Amino acid sequence: MSICQPHNLVTPLPTDKRFGIRVRVRSSDPFSNLVGKDWHREHWYASAEERDEALAGMSKKYVYFRPGDKPTLNYEKIDKQ
């Protein structure tokens, strides 16, 4: 089976990223009805500092939020052993 775009997946994904962030949707968010209550996404980084910087950016209030809007995602730091 050929790859649709030849520039995709030409280099292997790095495996040395040990520091992660697990993102989960809160059960009160209507998005959880679409993706399921157990939905989560993981983002991996090479260093704890890189992860913490990304977490700070992910968890801050977005510029385009309306007054009273609140994020409905939970963030959890995770480490590979």
Side-chain angles (χ1 to χ4, degrees):
M1 180 170 152
S2 64
I3 297 174
C4 179
Q5 300 295 329
H7 65 279
N8 290 337
L9 303 175
V10 293
T11 57
L13 295 174
T15 58
D16 60 343
K17 296 184 177 185
R18 296 183 36 230
F19 303 93
I21 301 170
R22 181 176 293 128
V23 182
R24 296 179 192 261
V25 66
R26 292 184 185 161
S27 60
S28 60
D29 188 338
F31 182 64
S32 67
N33 295 329
L34 296 173
V35 296
K37 303 289 184 193
D38 59 346
W39 177 88
H40 71 276
R41 171 91 162 101
E42 294 175 356
H43 302 269
W44 292 97
Y45 303 91
S47 70
E49 294 80 20
E50 187 180 355
R51 184 233 359 238
D52 294 344
E53 184 178 313
L55 179 59
M58 286 181 189
S59 60
K60 72 179 183 180
K61 190 173 181 178
Y62 295 113
V63 177
Y64 299 108
F65 271 10
R66 299 169 296 182
D69 283 352
K70 295 181 181 171
T72 59
L73 298 173
N74 292 328
Y75 302 94
E76 174 188 358
K77 291 182 183 181
I78 51 177
D79 297 329
K80 286 183 185 176
Q81 297 298 333

PDB file of all heavy atoms in Angstrom, residues 5-38:
ATOM      1  N   GLN A   5       0.694  10.842   0.368  1.00  0.00           N
ATOM      2  CA  GLN A   5       1.609  11.942   0.090  1.00  0.00           C
ATOM      3  C   GLN A   5       3.026  11.469   0.397  1.00  0.00           C
ATOM      4  O   GLN A   5       3.315  11.098   1.528  1.00  0.00           O
ATOM      5  CB  GLN A   5       1.253  13.173   0.930  1.00  0.00           C
ATOM      6  CG  GLN A   5      -0.145  13.712   0.689  1.00  0.00           C
ATOM      7  CD  GLN A   5      -0.324  14.251  -0.721  1.00  0.00           C
ATOM      8  OE1 GLN A   5       0.607  14.751  -1.330  1.00  0.00           O
ATOM      9  NE2 GLN A   5      -1.529  14.143  -1.241  1.00  0.00           N
ATOM     10  N   PRO A   6       3.921  11.475  -0.548  1.00  0.00           N
ATOM     11  CA  PRO A   6       5.241  10.898  -0.332  1.00  0.00           C
ATOM     12  C   PRO A   6       6.050  11.598   0.755  1.00  0.00           C
ATOM     13  O   PRO A   6       6.946  10.997   1.334  1.00  0.00           O
ATOM     14  CB  PRO A   6       5.918  11.022  -1.695  1.00  0.00           C
ATOM     15  CG  PRO A   6       5.090  11.927  -2.495  1.00  0.00           C
ATOM     16  CD  PRO A   6       3.730  11.973  -1.889  1.00  0.00           C
ATOM     17  N   HIS A   7       5.749  12.852   1.071  1.00  0.00           N
ATOM     18  CA  HIS A   7       6.502  13.559   2.112  1.00  0.00           C
ATOM     19  C   HIS A   7       6.071  13.145   3.516  1.00  0.00           C
ATOM     20  O   HIS A   7       6.756  13.437   4.482  1.00  0.00           O
ATOM     21  CB  HIS A   7       6.352  15.071   1.952  1.00  0.00           C
ATOM     22  CG  HIS A   7       4.950  15.559   2.162  1.00  0.00           C
ATOM     23  ND1 HIS A   7       3.997  15.479   1.181  1.00  0.00           N
ATOM     24  CD2 HIS A   7       4.342  16.089   3.240  1.00  0.00           C
ATOM     25  CE1 HIS A   7       2.854  15.956   1.650  1.00  0.00           C
ATOM     26  NE2 HIS A   7       3.025  16.331   2.891  1.00  0.00           N
ATOM     27  N   ASN A   8       4.961  12.436   3.645  1.00  0.00           N
ATOM     28  CA  ASN A   8       4.489  11.976   4.955  1.00  0.00           C
ATOM     29  C   ASN A   8       5.212  10.702   5.364  1.00  0.00           C
ATOM     30  O   ASN A   8       5.443   9.814   4.563  1.00  0.00           O
ATOM     31  CB  ASN A   8       2.983  11.711   4.932  1.00  0.00           C
ATOM     32  CG  ASN A   8       2.182  12.983   4.810  1.00  0.00           C
ATOM     33  OD1 ASN A   8       2.659  14.056   5.147  1.00  0.00           O
ATOM     34  ND2 ASN A   8       0.970  12.868   4.306  1.00  0.00           N
ATOM     35  N   LEU A   9       5.539  10.612   6.638  1.00  0.00           N
ATOM     36  CA  LEU A   9       6.101   9.404   7.226  1.00  0.00           C
ATOM     37  C   LEU A   9       7.400   8.932   6.565  1.00  0.00           C
ATOM     38  O   LEU A   9       7.640   7.749   6.437  1.00  0.00           O
ATOM     39  CB  LEU A   9       5.072   8.275   7.209  1.00  0.00           C
ATOM     40  CG  LEU A   9       3.751   8.567   7.920  1.00  0.00           C
ATOM     41  CD1 LEU A   9       2.792   7.419   7.727  1.00  0.00           C
ATOM     42  CD2 LEU A   9       3.983   8.811   9.395  1.00  0.00           C
ATOM     43  N   VAL A  10       8.242   9.861   6.148  1.00  0.00           N
ATOM     44  CA  VAL A  10       9.509   9.467   5.553  1.00  0.00           C
ATOM     45  C   VAL A  10      10.594   9.288   6.607  1.00  0.00           C
ATOM     46  O   VAL A  10      11.604   8.665   6.342  1.00  0.00           O
ATOM     47  CB  VAL A  10       9.980  10.459   4.469  1.00  0.00           C
ATOM     48  CG1 VAL A  10       9.047  10.427   3.277  1.00  0.00           C
ATOM     49  CG2 VAL A  10      10.108  11.854   5.025  1.00  0.00           C
ATOM     50  N   THR A  11      10.401   9.838   7.800  1.00  0.00           N
ATOM     51  CA  THR A  11      11.354   9.640   8.880  1.00  0.00           C
ATOM     52  C   THR A  11      10.629   8.995  10.049  1.00  0.00           C
ATOM     53  O   THR A  11       9.463   9.288  10.305  1.00  0.00           O
ATOM     54  CB  THR A  11      11.982  10.981   9.346  1.00  0.00           C
ATOM     55  OG1 THR A  11      10.946  11.866   9.729  1.00  0.00           O
ATOM     56  CG2 THR A  11      12.783  11.624   8.223  1.00  0.00           C
ATOM     57  N   PRO A  12      11.297   8.123  10.767  1.00  0.00           N
ATOM     58  CA  PRO A  12      10.630   7.470  11.903  1.00  0.00           C
ATOM     59  C   PRO A  12      10.330   8.461  13.018  1.00  0.00           C
ATOM     60  O   PRO A  12      11.029   9.461  13.191  1.00  0.00           O
ATOM     61  CB  PRO A  12      11.634   6.419  12.361  1.00  0.00           C
ATOM     62  CG  PRO A  12      12.944   6.869  11.827  1.00  0.00           C
ATOM     63  CD  PRO A  12      12.663   7.675  10.601  1.00  0.00           C
ATOM     64  N   LEU A  13       9.280   8.184  13.750  1.00  0.00           N
ATOM     65  CA  LEU A  13       8.926   9.030  14.877  1.00  0.00           C
ATOM     66  C   LEU A  13       9.958   8.856  15.990  1.00  0.00           C
ATOM     67  O   LEU A  13      10.430   7.743  16.228  1.00  0.00           O
ATOM     68  CB  LEU A  13       7.536   8.659  15.402  1.00  0.00           C
ATOM     69  CG  LEU A  13       6.386   8.905  14.434  1.00  0.00           C
ATOM     70  CD1 LEU A  13       5.089   8.352  15.015  1.00  0.00           C
ATOM     71  CD2 LEU A  13       6.242  10.373  14.133  1.00  0.00           C
ATOM     72  N   PRO A  14      10.325   9.933  16.694  1.00  0.00           N
ATOM     73  CA  PRO A  14      11.303   9.797  17.776  1.00  0.00           C
ATOM     74  C   PRO A  14      10.730   8.981  18.930  1.00  0.00           C
ATOM     75  O   PRO A  14       9.559   9.104  19.271  1.00  0.00           O
ATOM     76  CB  PRO A  14      11.571  11.241  18.202  1.00  0.00           C
ATOM     77  CG  PRO A  14      10.459  12.052  17.654  1.00  0.00           C
ATOM     78  CD  PRO A  14       9.886  11.302  16.496  1.00  0.00           C
ATOM     79  N   THR A  15      11.563   8.138  19.529  1.00  0.00           N
ATOM     80  CA  THR A  15      11.104   7.280  20.620  1.00  0.00           C
ATOM     81  C   THR A  15      11.676   7.697  21.970  1.00  0.00           C
ATOM     82  O   THR A  15      11.379   7.074  22.972  1.00  0.00           O
ATOM     83  CB  THR A  15      11.490   5.825  20.356  1.00  0.00           C
ATOM     84  OG1 THR A  15      12.916   5.751  20.214  1.00  0.00           O
ATOM     85  CG2 THR A  15      10.819   5.298  19.101  1.00  0.00           C
ATOM     86  N   ASP A  16      12.507   8.733  21.997  1.00  0.00           N
ATOM     87  CA  ASP A  16      13.167   9.128  23.235  1.00  0.00           C
ATOM     88  C   ASP A  16      12.404  10.199  24.014  1.00  0.00           C
ATOM     89  O   ASP A  16      12.953  10.834  24.890  1.00  0.00           O
ATOM     90  CB  ASP A  16      14.586   9.600  22.946  1.00  0.00           C
ATOM     91  CG  ASP A  16      14.617  10.790  22.001  1.00  0.00           C
ATOM     92  OD1 ASP A  16      13.596  11.033  21.323  1.00  0.00           O
ATOM     93  OD2 ASP A  16      15.655  11.461  21.935  1.00  0.00           O
ATOM     94  N   LYS A  17      11.180  10.405  23.698  1.00  0.00           N
ATOM     95  CA  LYS A  17      10.379  11.410  24.402  1.00  0.00           C
ATOM     96  C   LYS A  17       9.706  10.754  25.597  1.00  0.00           C
ATOM     97  O   LYS A  17       8.808   9.948  25.438  1.00  0.00           O
ATOM     98  CB  LYS A  17       9.373  12.044  23.452  1.00  0.00           C
ATOM     99  CG  LYS A  17      10.064  12.813  22.344  1.00  0.00           C
ATOM    100  CD  LYS A  17       9.085  13.523  21.473  1.00  0.00           C
ATOM    101  CE  LYS A  17       9.843  14.343  20.436  1.00  0.00           C
ATOM    102  NZ  LYS A  17       8.958  15.151  19.638  1.00  0.00           N
ATOM    103  N   ARG A  18      10.148  11.102  26.806  1.00  0.00           N
ATOM    104  CA  ARG A  18       9.687  10.435  28.020  1.00  0.00           C
ATOM    105  C   ARG A  18       8.687  11.242  28.829  1.00  0.00           C
ATOM    106  O   ARG A  18       8.088  10.726  29.758  1.00  0.00           O
ATOM    107  CB  ARG A  18      10.891  10.139  28.919  1.00  0.00           C
ATOM    108  CG  ARG A  18      11.873   9.189  28.317  1.00  0.00           C
ATOM    109  CD  ARG A  18      13.002   8.865  29.277  1.00  0.00           C
ATOM    110  NE  ARG A  18      12.554   8.794  30.646  1.00  0.00           N
ATOM    111  CZ  ARG A  18      13.155   9.442  31.663  1.00  0.00           C
ATOM    112  NH1 ARG A  18      14.194  10.182  31.457  1.00  0.00           N
ATOM    113  NH2 ARG A  18      12.687   9.322  32.886  1.00  0.00           N
ATOM    114  N   PHE A  19       8.521  12.517  28.535  1.00  0.00           N
ATOM    115  CA  PHE A  19       7.689  13.392  29.357  1.00  0.00           C
ATOM    116  C   PHE A  19       6.440  13.778  28.568  1.00  0.00           C
ATOM    117  O   PHE A  19       6.536  14.267  27.453  1.00  0.00           O
ATOM    118  CB  PHE A  19       8.479  14.635  29.760  1.00  0.00           C
ATOM    119  CG  PHE A  19       9.745  14.300  30.486  1.00  0.00           C
ATOM    120  CD1 PHE A  19      10.935  14.170  29.810  1.00  0.00           C
ATOM    121  CD2 PHE A  19       9.723  14.070  31.854  1.00  0.00           C
ATOM    122  CE1 PHE A  19      12.106  13.841  30.473  1.00  0.00           C
ATOM    123  CE2 PHE A  19      10.874  13.740  32.527  1.00  0.00           C
ATOM    124  CZ  PHE A  19      12.077  13.621  31.833  1.00  0.00           C
ATOM    125  N   GLY A  20       5.283  13.526  29.175  1.00  0.00           N
ATOM    126  CA  GLY A  20       4.055  13.719  28.429  1.00  0.00           C
ATOM    127  C   GLY A  20       2.983  14.498  29.159  1.00  0.00           C
ATOM    128  O   GLY A  20       3.078  14.780  30.354  1.00  0.00           O
ATOM    129  N   ILE A  21       1.961  14.828  28.396  1.00  0.00           N
ATOM    130  CA  ILE A  21       0.749  15.470  28.902  1.00  0.00           C
ATOM    131  C   ILE A  21      -0.423  14.657  28.382  1.00  0.00           C
ATOM    132  O   ILE A  21      -0.527  14.401  27.178  1.00  0.00           O
ATOM    133  CB  ILE A  21       0.618  16.918  28.397  1.00  0.00           C
ATOM    134  CG1 ILE A  21       1.816  17.758  28.808  1.00  0.00           C
ATOM    135  CG2 ILE A  21      -0.693  17.540  28.889  1.00  0.00           C
ATOM    136  CD1 ILE A  21       1.866  19.117  28.133  1.00  0.00           C
ATOM    137  N   ARG A  22      -1.289  14.233  29.286  1.00  0.00           N
ATOM    138  CA  ARG A  22      -2.517  13.539  28.896  1.00  0.00           C
ATOM    139  C   ARG A  22      -3.651  14.546  28.999  1.00  0.00           C
ATOM    140  O   ARG A  22      -3.860  15.166  30.035  1.00  0.00           O
ATOM    141  CB  ARG A  22      -2.790  12.345  29.789  1.00  0.00           C
ATOM    142  CG  ARG A  22      -4.052  11.591  29.381  1.00  0.00           C
ATOM    143  CD  ARG A  22      -4.267  10.347  30.200  1.00  0.00           C
ATOM    144  NE  ARG A  22      -3.211   9.366  29.894  1.00  0.00           N
ATOM    145  CZ  ARG A  22      -2.453   8.768  30.813  1.00  0.00           C
ATOM    146  NH1 ARG A  22      -2.617   9.027  32.086  1.00  0.00           N
ATOM    147  NH2 ARG A  22      -1.530   7.896  30.448  1.00  0.00           N
ATOM    148  N   VAL A  23      -4.377  14.711  27.914  1.00  0.00           N
ATOM    149  CA  VAL A  23      -5.499  15.649  27.852  1.00  0.00           C
ATOM    150  C   VAL A  23      -6.780  14.832  27.872  1.00  0.00           C
ATOM    151  O   VAL A  23      -6.945  13.902  27.083  1.00  0.00           O
ATOM    152  CB  VAL A  23      -5.433  16.502  26.567  1.00  0.00           C
ATOM    153  CG1 VAL A  23      -6.565  17.514  26.538  1.00  0.00           C
ATOM    154  CG2 VAL A  23      -4.086  17.185  26.433  1.00  0.00           C
ATOM    155  N   ARG A  24      -7.669  15.165  28.786  1.00  0.00           N
ATOM    156  CA  ARG A  24      -8.979  14.512  28.876  1.00  0.00           C
ATOM    157  C   ARG A  24     -10.073  15.570  28.844  1.00  0.00           C
ATOM    158  O   ARG A  24      -9.883  16.679  29.316  1.00  0.00           O
ATOM    159  CB  ARG A  24      -9.103  13.726  30.179  1.00  0.00           C
ATOM    160  CG  ARG A  24      -8.154  12.578  30.306  1.00  0.00           C
ATOM    161  CD  ARG A  24      -8.359  11.892  31.652  1.00  0.00           C
ATOM    162  NE  ARG A  24      -7.301  10.970  31.946  1.00  0.00           N
ATOM    163  CZ  ARG A  24      -7.372   9.661  31.762  1.00  0.00           C
ATOM    164  NH1 ARG A  24      -8.465   9.121  31.284  1.00  0.00           N
ATOM    165  NH2 ARG A  24      -6.356   8.893  32.061  1.00  0.00           N
ATOM    166  N   VAL A  25     -11.205  15.182  28.319  1.00  0.00           N
ATOM    167  CA  VAL A  25     -12.351  16.080  28.290  1.00  0.00           C
ATOM    168  C   VAL A  25     -13.176  15.848  29.555  1.00  0.00           C
ATOM    169  O   VAL A  25     -13.308  14.715  30.021  1.00  0.00           O
ATOM    170  CB  VAL A  25     -13.175  15.873  26.994  1.00  0.00           C
ATOM    171  CG1 VAL A  25     -13.805  14.513  26.958  1.00  0.00           C
ATOM    172  CG2 VAL A  25     -14.219  16.944  26.829  1.00  0.00           C
ATOM    173  N   ARG A  26     -13.679  16.919  30.122  1.00  0.00           N
ATOM    174  CA  ARG A  26     -14.525  16.791  31.320  1.00  0.00           C
ATOM    175  C   ARG A  26     -15.872  16.199  30.933  1.00  0.00           C
ATOM    176  O   ARG A  26     -16.381  16.416  29.840  1.00  0.00           O
ATOM    177  CB  ARG A  26     -14.720  18.157  31.972  1.00  0.00           C
ATOM    178  CG  ARG A  26     -13.447  18.700  32.558  1.00  0.00           C
ATOM    179  CD  ARG A  26     -13.676  19.993  33.277  1.00  0.00           C
ATOM    180  NE  ARG A  26     -12.383  20.523  33.708  1.00  0.00           N
ATOM    181  CZ  ARG A  26     -12.173  21.775  34.039  1.00  0.00           C
ATOM    182  NH1 ARG A  26     -13.171  22.638  34.000  1.00  0.00           N
ATOM    183  NH2 ARG A  26     -10.978  22.167  34.415  1.00  0.00           N
ATOM    184  N   SER A  27     -16.451  15.466  31.848  1.00  0.00           N
ATOM    185  CA  SER A  27     -17.730  14.805  31.557  1.00  0.00           C
ATOM    186  C   SER A  27     -18.859  15.803  31.338  1.00  0.00           C
ATOM    187  O   SER A  27     -19.859  15.488  30.696  1.00  0.00           O
ATOM    188  CB  SER A  27     -18.093  13.835  32.675  1.00  0.00           C
ATOM    189  OG  SER A  27     -18.208  14.530  33.901  1.00  0.00           O
ATOM    190  N   SER A  28     -18.716  17.025  31.846  1.00  0.00           N
ATOM    191  CA  SER A  28     -19.761  18.041  31.668  1.00  0.00           C
ATOM    192  C   SER A  28     -19.701  18.719  30.300  1.00  0.00           C
ATOM    193  O   SER A  28     -20.615  19.457  29.935  1.00  0.00           O
ATOM    194  CB  SER A  28     -19.630  19.105  32.768  1.00  0.00           C
ATOM    195  OG  SER A  28     -18.356  19.725  32.692  1.00  0.00           O
ATOM    196  N   ASP A  29     -18.655  18.454  29.524  1.00  0.00           N
ATOM    197  CA  ASP A  29     -18.503  19.061  28.200  1.00  0.00           C
ATOM    198  C   ASP A  29     -19.314  18.276  27.179  1.00  0.00           C
ATOM    199  O   ASP A  29     -19.186  17.053  27.097  1.00  0.00           O
ATOM    200  CB  ASP A  29     -17.024  19.051  27.813  1.00  0.00           C
ATOM    201  CG  ASP A  29     -16.737  19.832  26.540  1.00  0.00           C
ATOM    202  OD1 ASP A  29     -17.660  20.044  25.732  1.00  0.00           O
ATOM    203  OD2 ASP A  29     -15.577  20.224  26.370  1.00  0.00           O
ATOM    204  N   PRO A  30     -20.161  18.930  26.373  1.00  0.00           N
ATOM    205  CA  PRO A  30     -20.940  18.221  25.357  1.00  0.00           C
ATOM    206  C   PRO A  30     -20.069  17.471  24.343  1.00  0.00           C
ATOM    207  O   PRO A  30     -20.509  16.508  23.736  1.00  0.00           O
ATOM    208  CB  PRO A  30     -21.740  19.329  24.663  1.00  0.00           C
ATOM    209  CG  PRO A  30     -21.758  20.458  25.625  1.00  0.00           C
ATOM    210  CD  PRO A  30     -20.510  20.347  26.443  1.00  0.00           C
ATOM    211  N   PHE A  31     -18.804  17.879  24.189  1.00  0.00           N
ATOM    212  CA  PHE A  31     -17.883  17.185  23.293  1.00  0.00           C
ATOM    213  C   PHE A  31     -17.697  15.728  23.715  1.00  0.00           C
ATOM    214  O   PHE A  31     -17.482  14.861  22.880  1.00  0.00           O
ATOM    215  CB  PHE A  31     -16.542  17.928  23.285  1.00  0.00           C
ATOM    216  CG  PHE A  31     -15.517  17.340  22.365  1.00  0.00           C
ATOM    217  CD1 PHE A  31     -15.715  17.315  20.996  1.00  0.00           C
ATOM    218  CD2 PHE A  31     -14.329  16.828  22.867  1.00  0.00           C
ATOM    219  CE1 PHE A  31     -14.758  16.773  20.142  1.00  0.00           C
ATOM    220  CE2 PHE A  31     -13.372  16.297  22.032  1.00  0.00           C
ATOM    221  CZ  PHE A  31     -13.583  16.275  20.666  1.00  0.00           C
ATOM    222  N   SER A  32     -17.832  15.459  25.015  1.00  0.00           N
ATOM    223  CA  SER A  32     -17.673  14.080  25.500  1.00  0.00           C
ATOM    224  C   SER A  32     -18.779  13.171  24.967  1.00  0.00           C
ATOM    225  O   SER A  32     -18.589  11.960  24.881  1.00  0.00           O
ATOM    226  CB  SER A  32     -17.646  14.044  27.027  1.00  0.00           C
ATOM    227  OG  SER A  32     -18.908  14.403  27.562  1.00  0.00           O
ATOM    228  N   ASN A  33     -19.926  13.729  24.588  1.00  0.00           N
ATOM    229  CA  ASN A  33     -20.987  12.924  23.975  1.00  0.00           C
ATOM    230  C   ASN A  33     -20.582  12.448  22.577  1.00  0.00           C
ATOM    231  O   ASN A  33     -21.057  11.421  22.110  1.00  0.00           O
ATOM    232  CB  ASN A  33     -22.286  13.714  23.881  1.00  0.00           C
ATOM    233  CG  ASN A  33     -22.847  14.050  25.248  1.00  0.00           C
ATOM    234  OD1 ASN A  33     -22.668  13.312  26.198  1.00  0.00           O
ATOM    235  ND2 ASN A  33     -23.506  15.184  25.343  1.00  0.00           N
ATOM    236  N   LEU A  34     -19.714  13.215  21.921  1.00  0.00           N
ATOM    237  CA  LEU A  34     -19.266  12.851  20.576  1.00  0.00           C
ATOM    238  C   LEU A  34     -18.104  11.862  20.598  1.00  0.00           C
ATOM    239  O   LEU A  34     -18.062  10.926  19.818  1.00  0.00           O
ATOM    240  CB  LEU A  34     -18.832  14.108  19.810  1.00  0.00           C
ATOM    241  CG  LEU A  34     -19.918  15.132  19.531  1.00  0.00           C
ATOM    242  CD1 LEU A  34     -19.311  16.386  18.927  1.00  0.00           C
ATOM    243  CD2 LEU A  34     -20.955  14.542  18.596  1.00  0.00           C
ATOM    244  N   VAL A  35     -17.138  12.099  21.500  1.00  0.00           N
ATOM    245  CA  VAL A  35     -15.920  11.278  21.493  1.00  0.00           C
ATOM    246  C   VAL A  35     -15.921  10.184  22.541  1.00  0.00           C
ATOM    247  O   VAL A  35     -15.072   9.304  22.502  1.00  0.00           O
ATOM    248  CB  VAL A  35     -14.668  12.167  21.668  1.00  0.00           C
ATOM    249  CG1 VAL A  35     -14.507  13.108  20.497  1.00  0.00           C
ATOM    250  CG2 VAL A  35     -14.710  12.917  22.978  1.00  0.00           C
ATOM    251  N   GLY A  36     -16.841  10.235  23.478  1.00  0.00           N
ATOM    252  CA  GLY A  36     -16.902   9.232  24.536  1.00  0.00           C
ATOM    253  C   GLY A  36     -16.292   9.740  25.831  1.00  0.00           C
ATOM    254  O   GLY A  36     -15.416  10.602  25.825  1.00  0.00           O
ATOM    255  N   LYS A  37     -16.756   9.202  26.929  1.00  0.00           N
ATOM    256  CA  LYS A  37     -16.311   9.651  28.253  1.00  0.00           C
ATOM    257  C   LYS A  37     -14.849   9.301  28.522  1.00  0.00           C
ATOM    258  O   LYS A  37     -14.198   9.924  29.336  1.00  0.00           O
ATOM    259  CB  LYS A  37     -17.191   9.047  29.355  1.00  0.00           C
ATOM    260  CG  LYS A  37     -18.659   9.362  29.209  1.00  0.00           C
ATOM    261  CD  LYS A  37     -18.964  10.785  29.505  1.00  0.00           C
ATOM    262  CE  LYS A  37     -20.477  11.015  29.436  1.00  0.00           C
ATOM    263  NZ  LYS A  37     -20.829  12.404  29.407  1.00  0.00           N
ATOM    264  N   ASP A  38     -14.314   8.292  27.826  1.00  0.00           N
ATOM    265  CA  ASP A  38     -12.939   7.862  28.077  1.00  0.00           C
ATOM    266  C   ASP A  38     -11.928   8.445  27.084  1.00  0.00           C
ATOM    267  O   ASP A  38     -10.777   8.024  27.037  1.00  0.00           O
ATOM    268  CB  ASP A  38     -12.854   6.338  28.064  1.00  0.00           C
ATOM    269  CG  ASP A  38     -13.305   5.743  26.734  1.00  0.00           C
ATOM    270  OD1 ASP A  38     -13.924   6.465  25.937  1.00  0.00           O
ATOM    271  OD2 ASP A  38     -13.036   4.557  26.506  1.00  0.00           O
TER     272      ASP A  38
END
